[in-house]
Amino acid sequence: MGKAERDNGKAIQRLRGVGLRPTRQRVELAGVLFKGEDRHVTAESLYEEASQQGLRISLATVYNTLHQFTHAGLLRQVVVDAARGYFDTNTGDHQHFFLEDEGALIDIPGDQISVAGVPTPPAGLTVDRVDVVVRVKRA
Amino acid sequence: MGKAERDNGKAIQRLRGVGLRPTRQRVELAGVLFKGEDRHVTAESLYEEASQQGLRISLATVYNTLHQFTHAGLLRQVVVDAARGYFDTNTGDHQHFFLEDEGALIDIPGDQISVAGVPTPPAGLTVDRVDVVVRVKRA
DNA sequence: TCAATAGTTTAGAATTACTCTAAACTATTT
DNA sequence: AAATAGTTTAGAGTAATTCTAAACTATTGA
C-alpha cells in the first residue's frame, strides 16, 4: 500500500467520522486541505489548486464541500473581506492577522491573544464566538 | 433660517472640511447619516431610506458616497458578513456585537473591551486596526 | 457674471462571488 | 445486483457591487 492510499484512508476515516459519505471529490479535497500544515483557502483558490493537480471537480462542488466541511466542524469560516469568503483548516481557538494588501491570513495562536471586557449580550442572545482580526498593511 | 438649512450648513462645512465638494447628493446623504445618533447602514438600506425621504439619488452614487466618506474618515467600514458591507458613522475606537440572525450591529464602547497580547506583525507590516466582532445568536 | 474646467452623477451594462436546478451519477443498502 | 438515497455537475440564476461614458453641476478665473 502506497503513501497516497494511506492518506486516502485517513481522509475516508475522517469523513466517515463526521457522517459524510466519502465520495471521490470529498476525499480528494480533504487530501488537499488536510495533508500538511494548517491553511487558509477561498473556494476559487482551492478549485484552482485541485484543478492544477489534475483533480476533476466542479466549482459548485468545491463550494458545497467547503460548506459541508464547515458544518461538520472540519473547517472554520473566517470573515475578513467583504468580497470573498475564507476557510481555515485550523478549527481550534485562535485569531488572525489579515494582510490587506495581499488578502492573506496568518494564524495567531489562541493562547497568545486575549479579549477582556466583553459585555453581556442583549437579552435572549448568547455569544457564539469572539473574532479578533488584526488588519496589517505595508509599513 | 430654518432647521433644515442649519443642518445643511453643518453638512456642507463637514464635507468641505474633508475636501469633498458638497454636491446635493453628498449633502443629503450626510444629512441622513449624521443627523442623530450613530448608526450602521448598508448601501441598500441607505438607498432605501433616502428614497423614502424623497431624495433623488442613484444606488451607484450611494455606493460612491459611502466609499468617499469612508476614505475621508467620516465613516468606517465594518466587515462582519461575507454577503454585504456595513458602514458605521461611529469612527472612534469601539467594537461590535453582530446579531447573526438579523444581520444587525450594536456598538461596544472601546473603553469597555480590551485586547491584549497582539503579536508583532510580520516584518514590513504595521497594524492598521484591531477589530473585535462578538457574534451572538438566539440563546 | 459667466464661460471654461474639473469633478460628479447616473442609467444601464458588466463583473464577481456564490447559489440553485434538475438530470446524470455513485455509494450504500437490501 | 438492483433499489434507493445521497452526490455531483453544467449551466442558469441571483445579489452585491463596480464600471462606463454621457449628461450634469460646482468651482475657478477673467
Side-chain angles (χ1 to χ4, degrees):
Chain A
M1 159 166 136
K3 182 167 186 297
E5 274 170 47
R6 269 207 318 288
D7 289 358
N8 260 298
K10 266 201 238 164
I12 290 172
Q13 292 322 306
R14 190 162 204 166
L15 290 173
R16 280 203 212 281
V18 297
L20 286 174
R21 191 181 283 197
T23 63
R24 171 179 61 77
Q25 291 85 339
R26 286 179 185 154
V27 171
E28 289 176 349
L29 287 182
V32 172
L33 287 169
F34 306 116
K35 187 153 294 184
E37 313 212 314
D38 278 326
R39 45 187 318 209
H40 305 96
V41 300
T42 64
E44 204 71 44
S45 79
L46 181 58
Y47 174 67
E48 275 180 25
E49 184 175 349
S51 300
Q52 282 181 343
Q53 293 185 19
L55 306 180
R56 291 175 304 98
I57 192 165
S58 72
L59 181 57
T61 297
V62 172
Y63 274 103
N64 289 342
T65 302
L66 285 173
H67 287 134
Q68 291 155 356
F69 283 12
T70 300
H71 285 132
L74 262 32
L75 289 176
R76 168 162 158 185
Q77 198 164 2
V78 184
V79 179
V80 283
D81 187 339
R84 32 153 63 44
Y86 288 81
F87 294 85
D88 190 345
T89 59
N90 179 350
T91 57
D93 168 39
H94 73 288
Q95 305 299 345
H96 295 98
F97 277 120
F98 179 57
L99 283 55
E100 297 183 311
D101 302 311
E102 310 159 45
L105 285 166
I106 298 174
D107 282 356
I108 300 174
D111 56 4
Q112 206 161 129
I113 206 160
S114 75
V115 181
V118 173
T120 307
L125 299 174
T126 46
V127 174
D128 187 38
R129 201 164 77 200
V130 177
D131 285 337
V132 178
V133 177
V134 182
R135 295 173 187 278
V136 297
K137 48 164 68 157
R138 271 186 292 278
Chain B
M1 163 165 133
K3 182 167 185 300
E5 275 170 44
R6 269 205 317 287
D7 288 358
N8 259 300
K10 266 200 237 162
I12 290 172
Q13 292 321 307
R14 190 161 205 165
L15 290 173
R16 279 202 213 284
V18 297
L20 286 174
R21 191 182 282 197
T23 63
R24 173 179 61 77
Q25 291 85 340
R26 287 179 184 154
V27 171
E28 289 176 349
L29 287 182
V32 172
L33 287 170
F34 307 116
K35 189 154 291 184
E37 313 211 316
D38 280 324
R39 46 187 316 204
H40 305 97
V41 300
T42 64
E44 203 71 45
S45 80
L46 181 58
Y47 174 67
E48 275 181 23
E49 184 175 347
S51 299
Q52 282 182 342
Q53 293 184 18
L55 307 180
R56 291 174 305 99
I57 193 165
S58 73
L59 181 57
T61 297
V62 172
Y63 274 101
N64 290 341
T65 302
L66 285 172
H67 287 133
Q68 291 155 356
F69 283 12
T70 300
H71 286 131
L74 262 32
L75 289 177
R76 167 162 159 183
Q77 198 163 3
V78 185
V79 179
V80 284
D81 188 340
R84 47 169 30 58
Y86 289 81
F87 293 84
D88 190 345
T89 60
N90 179 352
T91 57
D93 168 39
H94 73 288
Q95 304 299 345
H96 295 99
F97 277 120
F98 180 57
L99 283 55
E100 298 183 310
D101 302 311
E102 310 159 46
L105 286 167
I106 298 174
D107 282 356
I108 300 174
D111 57 4
Q112 205 162 130
I113 204 163
S114 75
V115 181
V118 174
T120 308
L125 298 173
T126 46
V127 174
D128 187 38
R129 202 165 78 199
V130 178
D131 285 338
V132 178
V133 177
V134 182
R135 295 174 184 277
V136 296
K137 51 165 66 156
R138 271 186 293 276

Short mmCIF file of all heavy atoms in Angstrom, two decimals, chain A residues 75-126:
data_model
loop_
_atom_site.label_atom_id
_atom_site.label_comp_id
_atom_site.label_asym_id
_atom_site.label_seq_id
_atom_site.Cartn_x
_atom_site.Cartn_y
_atom_site.Cartn_z
N LEU A 75 -13.73 22.48 9.11
CA LEU A 75 -13.20 23.78 8.68
C LEU A 75 -13.91 24.86 9.48
O LEU A 75 -14.95 24.62 10.10
CB LEU A 75 -13.51 24.03 7.20
CG LEU A 75 -12.77 23.21 6.15
CD1 LEU A 75 -13.30 23.57 4.77
CD2 LEU A 75 -11.28 23.47 6.24
N ARG A 76 -13.36 26.04 9.38
CA ARG A 76 -13.97 27.19 10.02
C ARG A 76 -13.96 28.32 9.01
O ARG A 76 -12.99 28.51 8.29
CB ARG A 76 -13.12 27.56 11.19
CG ARG A 76 -13.43 28.87 11.79
CD ARG A 76 -12.81 28.84 13.14
NE ARG A 76 -12.56 30.12 13.69
CZ ARG A 76 -11.93 30.29 14.83
NH1 ARG A 76 -11.45 29.24 15.47
NH2 ARG A 76 -11.76 31.48 15.32
N GLN A 77 -15.06 29.06 8.95
CA GLN A 77 -15.13 30.16 8.00
C GLN A 77 -14.61 31.42 8.69
O GLN A 77 -14.89 31.67 9.86
CB GLN A 77 -16.58 30.36 7.54
CG GLN A 77 -16.64 31.18 6.27
CD GLN A 77 -17.97 31.08 5.56
OE1 GLN A 77 -18.88 30.41 6.04
NE2 GLN A 77 -18.07 31.73 4.43
N VAL A 78 -13.84 32.20 7.96
CA VAL A 78 -13.26 33.42 8.51
C VAL A 78 -13.77 34.59 7.68
O VAL A 78 -13.60 34.61 6.46
CB VAL A 78 -11.72 33.38 8.43
CG1 VAL A 78 -11.12 34.60 9.11
CG2 VAL A 78 -11.19 32.10 9.07
N VAL A 79 -14.38 35.56 8.34
CA VAL A 79 -14.91 36.72 7.62
C VAL A 79 -13.98 37.91 7.85
O VAL A 79 -13.92 38.45 8.95
CB VAL A 79 -16.32 37.09 8.10
CG1 VAL A 79 -16.83 38.30 7.35
CG2 VAL A 79 -17.26 35.92 7.90
N VAL A 80 -13.23 38.27 6.82
CA VAL A 80 -12.29 39.38 6.95
C VAL A 80 -12.41 40.35 5.80
O VAL A 80 -11.96 41.48 5.87
CB VAL A 80 -10.82 38.90 6.98
CG1 VAL A 80 -10.49 38.32 8.34
CG2 VAL A 80 -10.55 37.91 5.86
N ASP A 81 -13.04 39.90 4.74
CA ASP A 81 -13.07 40.65 3.50
C ASP A 81 -14.51 40.58 2.99
O ASP A 81 -15.07 39.50 2.88
CB ASP A 81 -12.12 39.94 2.52
CG ASP A 81 -11.93 40.71 1.25
OD1 ASP A 81 -12.78 41.56 0.94
OD2 ASP A 81 -10.93 40.46 0.55
N ALA A 82 -15.06 41.76 2.71
CA ALA A 82 -16.46 41.77 2.27
C ALA A 82 -16.60 41.07 0.93
O ALA A 82 -17.68 40.62 0.57
CB ALA A 82 -16.97 43.20 2.18
N ALA A 83 -15.50 40.94 0.19
CA ALA A 83 -15.59 40.44 -1.17
C ALA A 83 -15.55 38.92 -1.30
O ALA A 83 -16.09 38.37 -2.24
CB ALA A 83 -14.49 41.05 -2.03
N ARG A 84 -14.86 38.21 -0.39
CA ARG A 84 -14.76 36.76 -0.54
C ARG A 84 -14.67 36.07 0.80
O ARG A 84 -14.28 36.65 1.79
CB ARG A 84 -13.57 36.34 -1.41
CG ARG A 84 -12.41 37.23 -1.33
CD ARG A 84 -11.05 36.71 -1.59
NE ARG A 84 -10.63 36.17 -2.85
CZ ARG A 84 -10.88 36.65 -4.06
NH1 ARG A 84 -11.67 37.67 -4.20
NH2 ARG A 84 -10.36 36.10 -5.12
N GLY A 85 -15.10 34.81 0.78
CA GLY A 85 -15.08 34.02 2.00
C GLY A 85 -13.83 33.17 2.11
O GLY A 85 -13.40 32.58 1.13
N TYR A 86 -13.25 33.13 3.30
CA TYR A 86 -12.07 32.32 3.55
C TYR A 86 -12.45 31.16 4.46
O TYR A 86 -13.32 31.30 5.33
CB TYR A 86 -10.99 33.14 4.25
CG TYR A 86 -10.32 34.16 3.36
CD1 TYR A 86 -10.91 35.39 3.10
CD2 TYR A 86 -9.07 33.89 2.79
CE1 TYR A 86 -10.29 36.32 2.29
CE2 TYR A 86 -8.45 34.82 1.98
CZ TYR A 86 -9.06 36.03 1.73
OH TYR A 86 -8.44 36.94 0.92
N PHE A 87 -11.75 30.02 4.25
CA PHE A 87 -11.95 28.86 5.10
C PHE A 87 -10.61 28.45 5.69
O PHE A 87 -9.59 28.49 4.99
CB PHE A 87 -12.56 27.71 4.29
CG PHE A 87 -13.95 27.99 3.81
CD1 PHE A 87 -14.16 28.70 2.64
CD2 PHE A 87 -15.06 27.58 4.54
CE1 PHE A 87 -15.45 28.99 2.19
CE2 PHE A 87 -16.35 27.85 4.10
CZ PHE A 87 -16.55 28.56 2.93
N ASP A 88 -10.64 28.05 6.94
CA ASP A 88 -9.42 27.78 7.70
C ASP A 88 -9.44 26.34 8.17
O ASP A 88 -10.44 25.90 8.76
CB ASP A 88 -9.41 28.74 8.90
CG ASP A 88 -8.09 28.74 9.64
OD1 ASP A 88 -7.28 27.83 9.41
OD2 ASP A 88 -7.90 29.66 10.45
N THR A 89 -8.36 25.62 7.93
CA THR A 89 -8.32 24.22 8.38
C THR A 89 -8.07 24.13 9.88
O THR A 89 -8.22 23.08 10.48
CB THR A 89 -7.21 23.43 7.66
OG1 THR A 89 -5.95 24.05 7.92
CG2 THR A 89 -7.46 23.39 6.16
N ASN A 90 -7.65 25.24 10.47
CA ASN A 90 -7.44 25.27 11.92
C ASN A 90 -8.76 25.66 12.57
O ASN A 90 -9.21 26.79 12.46
CB ASN A 90 -6.36 26.30 12.23
CG ASN A 90 -6.08 26.43 13.71
OD1 ASN A 90 -6.81 25.89 14.55
ND2 ASN A 90 -5.03 27.14 14.05
N THR A 91 -9.39 24.68 13.24
CA THR A 91 -10.70 24.96 13.83
C THR A 91 -10.60 25.24 15.32
O THR A 91 -11.60 25.42 15.99
CB THR A 91 -11.65 23.76 13.62
OG1 THR A 91 -11.05 22.60 14.19
CG2 THR A 91 -11.91 23.53 12.14
N GLY A 92 -9.37 25.23 15.84
CA GLY A 92 -9.19 25.49 17.27
C GLY A 92 -9.29 26.97 17.61
O GLY A 92 -9.52 27.81 16.74
N ASP A 93 -9.11 27.26 18.88
CA ASP A 93 -9.20 28.63 19.39
C ASP A 93 -8.00 29.44 18.91
O ASP A 93 -6.88 29.22 19.37
CB ASP A 93 -9.22 28.54 20.92
CG ASP A 93 -9.01 29.90 21.57
OD1 ASP A 93 -9.56 30.89 21.05
OD2 ASP A 93 -8.29 29.96 22.59
N HIS A 94 -8.23 30.35 18.00
CA HIS A 94 -7.14 31.20 17.53
C HIS A 94 -7.71 32.40 16.79
O HIS A 94 -8.90 32.46 16.51
CB HIS A 94 -6.18 30.42 16.64
CG HIS A 94 -6.74 30.11 15.29
ND1 HIS A 94 -7.74 29.18 15.09
CD2 HIS A 94 -6.48 30.62 14.07
CE1 HIS A 94 -8.05 29.14 13.81
NE2 HIS A 94 -7.31 30.01 13.17
N GLN A 95 -6.84 33.34 16.47
CA GLN A 95 -7.27 34.56 15.80
C GLN A 95 -6.40 34.79 14.57
O GLN A 95 -5.59 33.93 14.23
CB GLN A 95 -7.18 35.74 16.77
CG GLN A 95 -7.97 35.52 18.06
CD GLN A 95 -9.47 35.32 17.84
OE1 GLN A 95 -10.01 35.61 16.76
NE2 GLN A 95 -10.16 34.79 18.84
N HIS A 96 -6.58 35.94 13.90
CA HIS A 96 -5.87 36.15 12.63
C HIS A 96 -5.27 37.54 12.41
O HIS A 96 -5.87 38.54 12.79
CB HIS A 96 -6.83 35.90 11.45
CG HIS A 96 -7.29 34.49 11.36
ND1 HIS A 96 -8.52 34.08 11.84
CD2 HIS A 96 -6.68 33.38 10.86
CE1 HIS A 96 -8.64 32.78 11.64
NE2 HIS A 96 -7.56 32.33 11.06
N PHE A 97 -4.12 37.51 11.75
CA PHE A 97 -3.63 38.69 11.06
C PHE A 97 -4.29 38.64 9.70
O PHE A 97 -4.38 37.55 9.10
CB PHE A 97 -2.11 38.60 10.82
CG PHE A 97 -1.26 39.01 11.97
CD1 PHE A 97 -0.37 38.10 12.55
CD2 PHE A 97 -1.31 40.30 12.49
CE1 PHE A 97 0.44 38.47 13.61
CE2 PHE A 97 -0.50 40.67 13.55
CZ PHE A 97 0.37 39.76 14.11
N PHE A 98 -4.71 39.79 9.18
CA PHE A 98 -5.18 39.83 7.79
C PHE A 98 -4.32 40.84 7.05
O PHE A 98 -4.28 42.02 7.41
CB PHE A 98 -6.66 40.23 7.71
CG PHE A 98 -7.18 40.30 6.29
CD1 PHE A 98 -7.11 39.19 5.46
CD2 PHE A 98 -7.73 41.47 5.79
CE1 PHE A 98 -7.58 39.25 4.15
CE2 PHE A 98 -8.21 41.54 4.48
CZ PHE A 98 -8.13 40.42 3.66
N LEU A 99 -3.58 40.36 6.04
CA LEU A 99 -2.71 41.22 5.25
C LEU A 99 -3.54 41.84 4.15
O LEU A 99 -3.80 41.21 3.12
CB LEU A 99 -1.54 40.39 4.66
CG LEU A 99 -0.40 40.04 5.63
CD1 LEU A 99 -0.87 39.32 6.89
CD2 LEU A 99 0.65 39.18 4.91
N GLU A 100 -3.96 43.07 4.38
CA GLU A 100 -4.90 43.71 3.48
C GLU A 100 -4.40 43.84 2.05
O GLU A 100 -5.18 43.77 1.11
CB GLU A 100 -5.28 45.09 4.05
CG GLU A 100 -5.98 44.98 5.39
CD GLU A 100 -6.44 46.32 5.96
OE1 GLU A 100 -5.63 47.25 5.99
OE2 GLU A 100 -7.61 46.40 6.37
N ASP A 101 -3.09 44.03 1.89
CA ASP A 101 -2.55 44.24 0.55
C ASP A 101 -2.62 42.98 -0.30
O ASP A 101 -2.79 43.05 -1.51
CB ASP A 101 -1.11 44.73 0.63
CG ASP A 101 -0.99 46.03 1.44
OD1 ASP A 101 -1.78 46.95 1.15
OD2 ASP A 101 -0.16 46.10 2.34
N GLU A 102 -2.46 41.83 0.33
CA GLU A 102 -2.40 40.57 -0.44
C GLU A 102 -3.63 39.70 -0.26
O GLU A 102 -3.77 38.68 -0.92
CB GLU A 102 -1.21 39.73 0.02
CG GLU A 102 0.10 40.47 0.08
CD GLU A 102 1.06 39.72 1.00
OE1 GLU A 102 1.14 38.48 0.87
OE2 GLU A 102 1.71 40.36 1.85
N GLY A 103 -4.46 40.04 0.73
CA GLY A 103 -5.61 39.18 1.00
C GLY A 103 -5.21 37.88 1.66
O GLY A 103 -5.87 36.86 1.50
N ALA A 104 -4.08 37.89 2.41
CA ALA A 104 -3.62 36.66 3.05
C ALA A 104 -3.91 36.66 4.54
O ALA A 104 -4.03 37.72 5.16
CB ALA A 104 -2.12 36.50 2.82
N LEU A 105 -4.05 35.47 5.10
CA LEU A 105 -4.31 35.31 6.53
C LEU A 105 -3.14 34.61 7.20
O LEU A 105 -2.51 33.73 6.61
CB LEU A 105 -5.57 34.45 6.73
CG LEU A 105 -6.90 35.13 6.45
CD1 LEU A 105 -7.99 34.09 6.35
CD2 LEU A 105 -7.21 36.13 7.54
N ILE A 106 -2.86 34.99 8.44
CA ILE A 106 -1.85 34.31 9.25
C ILE A 106 -2.46 34.06 10.62
O ILE A 106 -3.05 34.97 11.21
CB ILE A 106 -0.58 35.18 9.41
CG1 ILE A 106 0.07 35.45 8.04
CG2 ILE A 106 0.42 34.51 10.36
CD1 ILE A 106 1.25 36.42 8.11
N ASP A 107 -2.33 32.83 11.10
CA ASP A 107 -2.91 32.50 12.40
C ASP A 107 -2.17 33.16 13.55
O ASP A 107 -0.95 33.31 13.53
CB ASP A 107 -2.85 30.98 12.61
CG ASP A 107 -3.95 30.27 11.84
OD1 ASP A 107 -4.78 30.94 11.21
OD2 ASP A 107 -3.98 29.02 11.88
N ILE A 108 -2.94 33.51 14.57
CA ILE A 108 -2.38 33.95 15.84
C ILE A 108 -2.90 32.95 16.87
O ILE A 108 -4.11 32.79 17.01
CB ILE A 108 -2.88 35.36 16.23
CG1 ILE A 108 -2.47 36.39 15.17
CG2 ILE A 108 -2.33 35.75 17.60
CD1 ILE A 108 -3.05 37.79 15.43
N PRO A 109 -2.00 32.23 17.54
CA PRO A 109 -2.46 31.21 18.49
C PRO A 109 -3.41 31.79 19.52
O PRO A 109 -3.26 32.93 19.95
CB PRO A 109 -1.15 30.76 19.16
CG PRO A 109 -0.09 31.08 18.17
CD PRO A 109 -0.54 32.32 17.46
N GLY A 110 -4.39 30.99 19.90
CA GLY A 110 -5.42 31.45 20.82
C GLY A 110 -4.92 31.80 22.20
O GLY A 110 -5.50 32.63 22.90
N ASP A 111 -3.79 31.19 22.63
CA ASP A 111 -3.31 31.48 23.97
C ASP A 111 -2.44 32.72 24.00
O ASP A 111 -1.93 33.11 25.03
CB ASP A 111 -2.55 30.26 24.53
CG ASP A 111 -1.40 29.86 23.61
OD1 ASP A 111 -1.16 30.55 22.60
OD2 ASP A 111 -0.75 28.84 23.91
N GLN A 112 -2.26 33.32 22.82
CA GLN A 112 -1.38 34.48 22.75
C GLN A 112 -2.16 35.79 22.91
O GLN A 112 -1.69 36.75 23.48
CB GLN A 112 -0.68 34.48 21.38
CG GLN A 112 0.63 35.20 21.40
CD GLN A 112 1.47 34.79 20.21
OE1 GLN A 112 1.98 35.62 19.49
NE2 GLN A 112 1.60 33.49 19.96
N ILE A 113 -3.36 35.77 22.39
CA ILE A 113 -4.17 36.98 22.36
C ILE A 113 -5.33 36.80 23.34
O ILE A 113 -5.83 35.69 23.51
CB ILE A 113 -4.67 37.20 20.90
CG1 ILE A 113 -4.95 38.66 20.61
CG2 ILE A 113 -5.84 36.32 20.58
CD1 ILE A 113 -4.96 38.94 19.10
N SER A 114 -5.72 37.87 24.03
CA SER A 114 -6.86 37.72 24.93
C SER A 114 -7.75 38.95 24.90
O SER A 114 -7.28 40.07 24.80
CB SER A 114 -6.39 37.46 26.36
OG SER A 114 -5.90 38.64 26.92
N VAL A 115 -9.04 38.70 24.94
CA VAL A 115 -10.03 39.76 24.88
C VAL A 115 -10.72 39.83 26.23
O VAL A 115 -11.26 38.83 26.70
CB VAL A 115 -11.06 39.47 23.79
CG1 VAL A 115 -12.08 40.59 23.73
CG2 VAL A 115 -10.37 39.29 22.45
N ALA A 116 -10.68 41.00 26.86
CA ALA A 116 -11.33 41.16 28.16
C ALA A 116 -12.41 42.22 28.06
O ALA A 116 -12.36 43.09 27.19
CB ALA A 116 -10.30 41.56 29.21
N GLY A 117 -13.39 42.13 28.92
CA GLY A 117 -14.41 43.16 28.99
C GLY A 117 -15.52 43.04 27.98
O GLY A 117 -16.20 44.02 27.68
N VAL A 118 -15.72 41.84 27.43
CA VAL A 118 -16.85 41.66 26.51
C VAL A 118 -18.13 41.79 27.31
O VAL A 118 -18.34 41.03 28.25
CB VAL A 118 -16.79 40.28 25.83
CG1 VAL A 118 -18.05 40.04 25.00
CG2 VAL A 118 -15.55 40.15 24.97
N PRO A 119 -18.98 42.76 26.98
CA PRO A 119 -20.19 42.94 27.77
C PRO A 119 -21.18 41.80 27.56
O PRO A 119 -21.08 41.05 26.59
CB PRO A 119 -20.78 44.25 27.25
CG PRO A 119 -20.07 44.58 25.99
CD PRO A 119 -18.85 43.73 25.88
N THR A 120 -22.12 41.66 28.48
CA THR A 120 -23.18 40.66 28.36
C THR A 120 -24.00 41.00 27.12
O THR A 120 -24.35 42.16 26.91
CB THR A 120 -24.10 40.74 29.58
OG1 THR A 120 -23.30 40.65 30.75
CG2 THR A 120 -25.11 39.60 29.57
N PRO A 121 -24.29 40.01 26.29
CA PRO A 121 -25.09 40.30 25.09
C PRO A 121 -26.51 40.71 25.47
O PRO A 121 -26.96 40.39 26.57
CB PRO A 121 -25.11 38.97 24.34
CG PRO A 121 -24.12 38.10 25.00
CD PRO A 121 -23.93 38.60 26.39
N PRO A 122 -27.19 41.39 24.57
CA PRO A 122 -28.59 41.75 24.80
C PRO A 122 -29.40 40.51 25.17
O PRO A 122 -29.07 39.39 24.75
CB PRO A 122 -29.05 42.29 23.44
CG PRO A 122 -27.79 42.78 22.79
CD PRO A 122 -26.69 41.89 23.27
N ALA A 123 -30.48 40.69 25.95
CA ALA A 123 -31.30 39.59 26.44
C ALA A 123 -31.72 38.64 25.32
O ALA A 123 -32.11 39.08 24.23
CB ALA A 123 -32.54 40.15 27.13
N GLY A 124 -31.66 37.36 25.60
CA GLY A 124 -32.11 36.36 24.65
C GLY A 124 -31.03 35.92 23.68
O GLY A 124 -31.26 35.07 22.84
N LEU A 125 -29.84 36.51 23.80
CA LEU A 125 -28.76 36.18 22.88
C LEU A 125 -27.57 35.61 23.65
O LEU A 125 -27.33 35.99 24.80
CB LEU A 125 -28.32 37.42 22.11
CG LEU A 125 -29.40 38.08 21.24
CD1 LEU A 125 -28.88 39.38 20.66
CD2 LEU A 125 -29.83 37.14 20.13
N THR A 126 -26.86 34.70 22.99
CA THR A 126 -25.64 34.17 23.59
C THR A 126 -24.47 34.34 22.64
O THR A 126 -24.65 34.38 21.43
CB THR A 126 -25.75 32.67 23.89
OG1 THR A 126 -26.29 32.03 22.75
CG2 THR A 126 -26.58 32.40 25.11
#
